[in-house]
Amino acid sequence: MAISEKLSGDTVAVRLGQPYRQSTLGAVGNFFDREDVLGYLLLVPVLVILGVFVGYPFVYGVWLAFTDTTIVHQGQFTGLDNLERLLGDSIFRQAASNSFIYTGVTTVFKLVLGLAMAAILNVKFRLNRFVRSATLLPWIIPTVLSTLAWKWMFDGTFSVINYALAGVGIKGPLWLGSWPWTMISIMIVNVWRGMPFYGVSFLAGMQTIPQELYEAATIDGASAWQRFVRITLPLLRNVIVVVLLLSTILTFADFQIVYALTGGGPANQTHLFATYSYQVGLRGLEIGVGAAISLFMFPILAVIVFLTLWTLRKSD
Amino acid sequence: MSEQTPVPDPASEEPQGSRLTRRQFLTLAGTTSAAALLAACAPGATTAPSGPGGTPAVTTAPQVSTGGGELSYLHWTNFVPEMDAKLDELAKKWGDQNKVTVKVEHININDIPARRAAAIQAKAGPDLIFDTQNWPQLFSDALVDISDVASQIDKATGPVHDAAKQFTFVNGQWKAIPTGWGGNAFVYRTDWFKEAGVAVPKTWDDFVKAAATMKKAGHPFGQTLGHSFGDPPTFWYPWLWAHGGKEVEADGKTVALDSPETLAAVEQAVEMFKTGLIEGVLAWDDNSNNSAYAAEKLAATLNGPSIFINAGRNAAKGDAIAKRIYDNSDHFLHPAGPKGTFSLVAPYSVGLMNYSKNQQAAKDFLVWLHQPAQYLDWLESGGGYLQGTFKQAENLKAFESAPKMKPYRDLLTSGSIKWVGWPSPLSAASYAVYNNFIVIDLFAKACAGEYTPKDAIAWAVGQLKTRYK
């Protein structure tokens, strides 16, 4: 098959898969000049990287989940023993429950607050650019660093929050030392940190919406709320879906905030899948069981990804 | 033009050197890769150790026994910063003398197990790793037999304390050098005890009553129930043992937690939690009680000598609060329970990883570091925070200048020291229990009200059975 194209006034024909110029390297050069060969060759580095850094760990992790391997000893295949043990483990069940509650609650708050943040930042006002930059700070600061600052603010003895509450006659809770305040604490930090991502993404989406639509709606007598619900939200739909997808995956597999704030405590009450997997697999050396804990996340996240992509495709 | 007619390569018309064509790129990349591969595979292609500044050290560097190169030491972050500074200084000194770049990395000891696990799996990482408890036993397959090193240190600084040896001497081989002890004792405010008419408790019953009295007086006790390597286990394991409870029988397989003695221990813990402890201890780590005591929020807490030592050092810098704390603090050891007096210490050691590329340098460094001159220099820099595991380091000057710290020294010869998993031998299972905080959570879950004492025991038994098999 030939492709013809106009180049500098001349009609040039090139046959795919055949050299268009005699190579100075002879047969080897001609071989590499074939685009079907070169295309795959250029893909090889990416495939190798994906295979080594994504594929191999994933397959190895799945294998480990079905063995009694420890950090020091290669284990044997034990079938479903690890999964069976985990289902009977109350800490694991709590970690699973926590993961859903943590992801669900924080996602709702981040979505609502992110939309509000974007709506506010989309309005022109003095120092608008400075405010936009400042709101990104929670997302920019290294998570562990900001979480340690929160840990100090939640401290049972030195909490500045409780100190402020005491100033108005309210006895603050033991943020990190009593249920359910421990879960509430880590969710507050997650929302605080994750909201700017939502806000900025939504803001970018809002700025692509033609102003004419709002002007026409205003002339037709639509209120601000009606413009938001009838114009902004529908046109932001795809952005919202993608942001929700990314955020849900990252939140469900969150590690840093819980590890730095509570370490999964007190008494294992705030573990998520990732932190419990770390505790059992790396601290407790039972890497096979740790891998099995992580493996539980995979089908759940796969379903979330599938549903999100399905929604996106449906909207297209 | 026909289909076969070659067309000029647009790139070839550009000035040479301004842009690489696809062909030139492939030729260059292929040639470079092949050259690099050949060079790497060539006999004797091992990278020569670099001298200072990255210059080759093959011919110009003086001949040394270690052969130069780099050495990395993963060490904990000491609660007395001066000990870390001294270790860094000593490492640099030895490195300079032997043309070896020694890198000492200090991290939270709670993070060492994960770093070690990753290093063992990857067969790459720090040459030397700081250990505690029975880690050398557990990771013996990944550690080099350094009996030759131990022998040299033993001659110069020893003999080693028997109680320290059991953690590092594995199947007839030294798998780590016992580098120090971290004993815990109760630091308490003598002025507040005196005001409240409370005596130093001799039994755990007295202890619980003292905590209640002091809390009523506005000065509660502080004892963590959180997930951390030091203060939680050194309190709750001895508490359990003193009441007659134990996690496992001597066979190391039969879970023995469910007993009236354990129930009594848990019930009394709940009583103390409610009546004698400051709020928030469920979330405390090893640093929390240091901060709270330094802020004069606590009348007593179990800790290493770091609270007292740091108070003394800050007092010397003119800190009035630290001086008041230092002048009005003293120490006592674990009280006795119905079944006797028990304690748990943190035995520290350092092991040489078998993947290390510079094992001889590591061995030379360990021998040098544990010679009396360096070893005592390091221990004295901590003011007695860590005690020596070798005979020649038993009586540090720090204890003579601060007699109030002598309980820490006396603890090592008190005969009360046990190990995690006692009365069973040290094992991977007891380590897993320790590192998953199961004994700590037994008490924490009951104190938090998540479970009744009986249910907390049932929960812990379930957890123990998955480890002791």
Side-chain angles (χ1 to χ4, degrees):
Chain A
M1 172 187 160
I3 295 176
S4 295
E5 58 181 281
K6 199 78 175 168
L7 181 66
S8 305
D10 298 326
T11 301
V12 177
V14 179
R15 183 179 290 279
L16 275 180
Q18 290 192 6
Y20 59 87
R21 197 188 70 166
Q22 196 61 39
S23 169
T24 53
L25 291 175
V28 174
N30 291 340
F31 179 73
F32 282 117
D33 270 339
R34 291 176 54 181
E35 293 191 3
D36 55 342
V37 172
L38 189 65
Y40 287 112
L41 271 178
L42 292 175
L43 271 179
V44 166
V46 176
L47 291 175
V48 169
I49 289 170
L50 282 176
V52 171
F53 294 107
V54 179
Y56 172 72
F58 176 74
V59 173
Y60 186 56
V62 172
W63 162 250
L64 283 177
F66 296 99
T67 69
D68 59 358
T69 301
T70 68
I71 291 295
V72 252
H73 295 111
Q74 189 62 44
Q76 302 292 321
F77 180 76
T78 55
L80 298 176
D81 283 5
N82 289 341
L83 305 182
E84 198 179 320
R85 168 180 154 183
L86 287 172
L87 292 175
D89 179 357
S90 61
I91 303 175
F92 173 77
R93 291 198 300 270
Q94 173 140 26
S97 161
N98 287 348
S99 297
F100 281 103
I101 294 169
Y102 179 68
T103 306
V105 173
T106 58
T107 301
V108 168
F109 273 94
K110 284 185 284 192
L111 177 64
V112 173
L113 294 173
L115 277 172
M117 177 181 157
I120 292 168
L121 292 179
N122 200 30
V123 177
K124 286 183 181 172
F125 57 90
R126 200 175 156 86
L127 296 176
N128 179 293
R129 288 183 180 176
F130 172 78
V131 174
R132 282 183 187 176
S133 306
T135 52
L136 277 176
L137 277 176
W139 201 50
I140 294 168
I141 299 170
T143 309
V144 171
L145 190 65
S146 56
T147 306
L148 287 176
W150 276 102
K151 185 176 184 178
W152 192 242
M153 290 195 283
F154 285 140
D155 187 90
T157 312
F158 304 102
S159 170
V160 68
I161 300 171
N162 285 359
Y163 182 78
L165 289 173
V168 291
I170 300 171
K171 187 180 186 303
L174 287 169
W175 293 97
L176 302 179
S178 62
W179 185 264
W181 291 104
T182 43
M183 274 305 287
I184 292 171
S185 300
I186 62 172
M187 289 194 280
I188 287 172
V189 179
N190 180 280
V191 171
W192 173 83
R193 188 177 185 283
M195 190 181 71
F197 171 66
Y198 279 67
V200 169
S201 303
F202 295 158
L203 177 62
M206 283 179 185
Q207 293 193 330
T208 64
I209 300 173
Q211 283 300 308
E212 293 79 8
L213 295 176
Y214 291 110
E215 288 164 6
T218 307
I219 292 167
D220 288 344
S223 65
W225 175 249
Q226 284 172 324
R227 291 198 298 272
F228 181 74
V229 173
R230 300 291 173 85
I231 299 173
T232 308
L233 278 184
L235 291 176
L236 268 184
R237 188 168 178 271
N238 285 357
V239 177
I240 291 173
V241 171
V242 171
V243 168
L244 278 178
L245 169 68
L246 290 174
S247 174
T248 305
I249 292 171
L250 292 173
T251 309
F252 199 76
D254 197 4
F255 176 84
Q256 294 185 79
I257 290 175
V258 177
Y259 181 73
L261 201 62
T262 66
N268 296 307
Q269 287 178 327
T270 55
H271 271 305
L272 306 179
F273 279 120
T275 54
Y276 192 47
S277 171
Y278 173 85
Q279 177 169 306
V280 174
L282 291 179
R283 288 188 60 94
L285 305 184
E286 297 175 294
I287 200 165
V289 183
I293 296 170
S294 294
L295 193 63
F296 269 93
M297 283 193 283
F298 177 69
I300 298 165
L301 290 176
V303 168
I304 292 169
V305 170
F306 173 78
L307 286 177
T308 312
L309 294 178
W310 180 74
T311 309
L312 268 180
R313 185 166 294 178
K314 196 179 165 193
S315 72
D316 288 341
Chain B
M1 291 181 193
S2 74
E3 288 180 6
Q4 305 292 334
T5 307
V7 294
D9 185 343
S12 66
E13 293 178 2
E14 293 181 8
Q16 282 196 353
S18 67
R19 185 176 163 186
L20 272 178
T21 65
R22 185 175 61 188
R23 185 172 298 103
Q24 285 169 327
F25 170 78
L26 284 172
T27 308
L28 182 65
T31 311
T32 311
S33 305
L37 196 64
L38 285 171
C41 296
T46 309
T47 309
S50 293
T55 53
V58 180
T59 54
T60 53
Q63 188 64 40
V64 290
S65 63
T66 59
E70 287 191 354
L71 195 62
S72 58
Y73 183 6
L74 181 65
H75 198 260
W76 75 329
T77 301
N78 200 302
F79 283 80
V80 178
E82 287 82 356
M83 289 197 82
D84 283 346
K86 177 57 72 177
L87 179 66
D88 295 348
E89 177 193 321
L90 290 169
K92 184 174 186 313
K93 184 178 177 184
W94 181 85
D96 288 346
Q97 286 172 359
N98 293 280
K99 308 297 178 199
V100 176
T101 306
V102 186
K103 293 178 180 171
V104 184
E105 184 184 1
H106 300 273
I107 67 169
N108 187 317
I109 196 166
N110 286 313
D111 295 325
I112 288 183
R115 282 286 299 275
R116 176 202 298 280
I120 290 173
Q121 286 289 305
K123 295 184 173 53
D127 301 284
L128 297 165
I129 299 186
F130 190 75
D131 292 312
T132 188
Q133 298 299 343
N134 61 335
W135 295 355
Q137 301 257 354
L138 293 170
F139 300 106
S140 64
D141 290 349
L143 294 168
V144 175
D145 173 12
I146 49 174
S147 299
D148 51 341
V149 175
S151 170
Q152 291 180 65
I153 296 171
D154 207 51
K155 282 177 195 160
T157 322
V160 69
H161 198 293
D162 279 345
K165 184 177 176 181
Q166 66 165 330
F167 295 101
T168 52
F169 193 68
V170 187
N171 298 326
Q173 295 180 338
W174 286 90
K175 288 290 187 166
I177 299 300
T179 197
W181 288 99
N184 268 5
F186 292 89
V187 56
Y188 73 103
R189 287 292 294 257
T190 52
D191 50 345
W192 292 344
F193 267 51
K194 194 175 175 185
E195 281 171 22
V198 172
V200 170
K202 301 290 182 195
T203 67
W204 284 120
D205 287 344
D206 293 343
F207 185 89
V208 173
K209 286 175 193 162
T213 306
M214 294 307 301
K215 188 172 183 179
K216 279 181 188 165
H219 307 299
F221 283 14
Q223 175 51 51
T224 171
L225 281 149
H227 287 184
S228 209
F229 91 100
D231 298 338
T234 53
F235 184 94
W236 294 108
Y237 275 85
W239 172 279
L240 176 67
W241 297 328
H243 283 80
K246 56 189 172 187
E247 59 193 288
V248 66
E249 296 290 358
D251 62 10
K253 291 181 179 176
T254 312
V255 173
L257 191 70
D258 191 2
S259 68
E261 290 81 7
T262 302
L263 184 60
V266 177
E267 285 175 343
Q268 193 171 32
V270 174
E271 180 195 345
M272 180 175 69
F273 176 79
K274 289 176 178 170
T275 62
L277 298 186
I278 192 171
E279 288 184 326
V281 292
L282 286 162
W284 275 16
D285 59 21
D286 282 320
N287 298 310
S288 307
N289 60 339
N290 294 53
S291 306
Y293 195 92
E296 300 194 289
K297 303 280 187 189
L298 303 177
T301 188
L302 183 70
N303 206 61
S306 55
I307 288 177
F308 189 73
I309 292 168
N310 288 329
R313 290 181 175 178
N314 289 332
K317 292 174 190 168
D319 185 329
I321 296 174
K323 184 171 187 330
R324 184 164 64 234
I325 292 171
Y326 186 73
D327 290 343
N328 294 292
S329 290
D330 205 343
H331 302 90
F332 61 87
L333 292 177
H334 286 69
K339 300 295 178 184
T341 304
F342 294 85
S343 62
L344 178 70
V345 299
Y348 299 117
S349 56
V350 51
L352 171 57
M353 307 306 292
N354 61 7
Y355 56 71
S356 168
K357 298 282 189 290
N358 211 352
Q359 296 188 5
Q360 189 54 52
K363 287 182 176 183
D364 291 348
F365 176 61
L366 286 178
V367 170
W368 181 84
L369 192 64
H370 291 87
Q371 296 302 299
Q374 288 76 240
Y375 189 50
L376 288 171
D377 193 16
W378 178 60
L379 289 172
E380 294 288 6
S381 73
Y385 176 64
L386 292 187
Q387 293 95 66
T389 38
F390 295 95
K391 186 75 178 172
Q392 290 196 33
E394 270 185 358
N395 293 304
L396 297 177
K397 290 175 191 165
F399 293 115
E400 301 309 321
S401 58
K404 285 179 178 178
M405 281 180 44
K406 284 186 176 174
Y408 289 101
R409 186 191 63 184
D410 299 341
L411 171 65
L412 301 182
T413 51
S414 66
S416 66
I417 297 174
K418 298 291 182 271
W419 53 92
V420 293
W422 177 86
S424 72
L426 292 167
S427 67
S430 64
Y431 173 87
V433 172
Y434 165 80
N435 247 19
N436 280 291
F437 307 103
I438 294 169
V439 172
I440 313 306
D441 285 344
L442 158 70
F443 295 102
K445 284 182 178 294
C447 289
E450 183 183 349
Y451 291 141
T452 65
K454 279 186 179 175
D455 289 343
I457 293 170
W459 168 83
V461 167
Q463 291 287 320
L464 293 175
K465 282 183 176 172
T466 64
R467 271 78 180 189
Y468 291 113
K469 298 185 232 181

